[in-house]
């Protein structure tokens, strides 16, 4: 009997300086799709001060904290929930090292290596663990129900029974596929 491999969820943020550049934003979106990451949720928003404070609470005592909050609230960001097997590691590999100077020298073909400007303006964010992904998704998608997604939606994403809407930049469940009950009747 084959064991089921569940999909993993992660949060991805495309930072304000990238969203202002449609060409770069499209290149990053293309990279997400070309690497078979599925977009479960997608929204463009200006991150509020409250969201930024919650999101970056672990950096509160660091010297760059205020600069980071100011930048992240400075304009629209794209915020996605991505899924795939090992989505966290896959997205982090596409992003490259957090430190832009390191990315530019050791991982030039990564998102941060190509489009990062500084350690604050490093183009993207990605969760670093399952626990971080759950915490971060709850900040920006307070209505997202993890239990319901895994019980109902995950199987469709896992089987590829989804449709990609490039305008909304999101995958949706394709209900035109026959399910097991329909096939056996």
């Amino acid at each position: 009997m084959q064991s089921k491999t569940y999909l993993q969820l992660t949060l991805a943020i495309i930072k304000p300086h990238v969203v202002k550049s449609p060409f770069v934003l499209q290149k990053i979106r293309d990279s997400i799709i070309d690497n078979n990451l599925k977009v479960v949720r997608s929204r463009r928003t200006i991150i509020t001060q409250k969201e930024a404070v919650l999101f970056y609470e672990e950096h509160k005592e660091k010297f760059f904290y205020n600069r980071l909050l100011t930048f992240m609230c400075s304009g629209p960001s794209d915020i996605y929930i991505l899924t795939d097997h090992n989505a966290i590691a896959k997205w982090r590999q596409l992003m490259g090292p957090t430190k832009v100077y390191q990315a530019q020298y050791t991982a030039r073909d990564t998102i941060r290596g190509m489009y990062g400007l500084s350690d604050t303006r490093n183009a993207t964010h990605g969760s670093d663990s399952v626990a971080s992904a759950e915490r971060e998704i709850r900040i920006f998608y307070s209505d997202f129900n993890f239990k319901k997604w895994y019980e109902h939606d995950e199987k469709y994403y896992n089987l590829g029974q989804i449709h990609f809407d490039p305008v909304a930049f999101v995958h949706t469940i394709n209900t035109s596929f026959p399910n097991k009950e329909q096939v056996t009747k």
Side-chain angles (χ1 to χ4, degrees):
M1 182 173 172
Q2 186 179 10
S3 67
K4 180 176 173 148
T5 306
Y6 289 96
L7 296 175
Q8 187 177 64
L9 296 167
T10 191
L11 186 83
I13 298 178
I14 312 301
K15 295 184 177 182
H17 73 287
V18 173
V19 173
K20 291 177 185 174
S21 177
F23 175 77
V24 174
L25 177 61
Q26 189 58 51
K27 289 286 191 187
I28 294 171
R29 285 178 161 197
D30 290 346
S31 181
I32 289 169
I33 300 306
D34 292 347
N35 284 278
N36 296 315
L37 286 159
K38 307 299 183 259
V39 185
V40 175
R41 298 283 187 281
S42 175
R43 74 183 245 232
R44 178 167 295 166
T45 188
I46 296 175
I47 294 173
T48 67
Q49 184 77 16
K50 181 181 175 186
E51 289 169 330
V53 166
L54 279 171
F55 191 74
Y56 289 111
E57 68 185 352
E58 76 237 28
H59 299 305
K60 190 171 187 170
E61 301 302 320
K62 296 184 180 167
F63 72 94
F64 58 82
Y65 179 73
N66 287 329
R67 181 178 64 217
L68 182 60
L69 291 187
T70 301
F71 168 63
M72 291 303 292
C73 299
S74 69
S77 293
D78 279 7
I79 305 174
Y80 312 133
I81 299 174
L82 304 177
T83 192
D84 195 10
H85 303 284
N86 299 312
I88 292 169
K90 185 183 264 191
W91 175 237
R92 291 183 69 80
Q93 184 176 3
L94 286 173
M95 289 190 304
T98 302
K99 297 197 175 296
V100 170
Y101 72 87
Q102 182 184 7
Q104 290 171 339
Y105 289 101
T106 65
R108 291 181 184 163
D109 293 336
T110 63
I111 293 168
R112 290 173 172 157
M114 292 184 287
Y115 309 117
L117 303 176
S118 68
D119 291 351
T120 303
R121 296 172 187 244
N122 63 0
T124 55
H125 167 82
S127 305
D128 63 5
S129 68
V130 171
S132 291
E134 288 183 16
R135 182 186 78 78
E136 294 170 356
I137 289 168
R138 281 184 169 78
I139 291 170
F140 295 108
Y141 290 93
S142 59
D143 63 337
F144 186 78
N145 185 324
F146 287 87
K147 185 175 188 249
K148 181 180 173 192
W149 191 85
Y150 275 105
E151 287 177 354
H152 180 266
D153 297 358
E154 188 268 349
K155 63 186 168 199
Y156 296 101
Y157 283 83
N158 207 347
L159 293 170
Q161 295 180 351
I162 51 178
H163 168 75
F164 178 63
D165 179 343
V167 175
F169 195 68
V170 69
H171 288 86
T172 56
I173 294 171
N174 185 347
T175 56
S176 67
F177 280 91
N179 60 35
K180 285 184 179 179
E181 293 82 31
Q182 292 171 324
V183 171
T184 58
K185 289 184 180 180

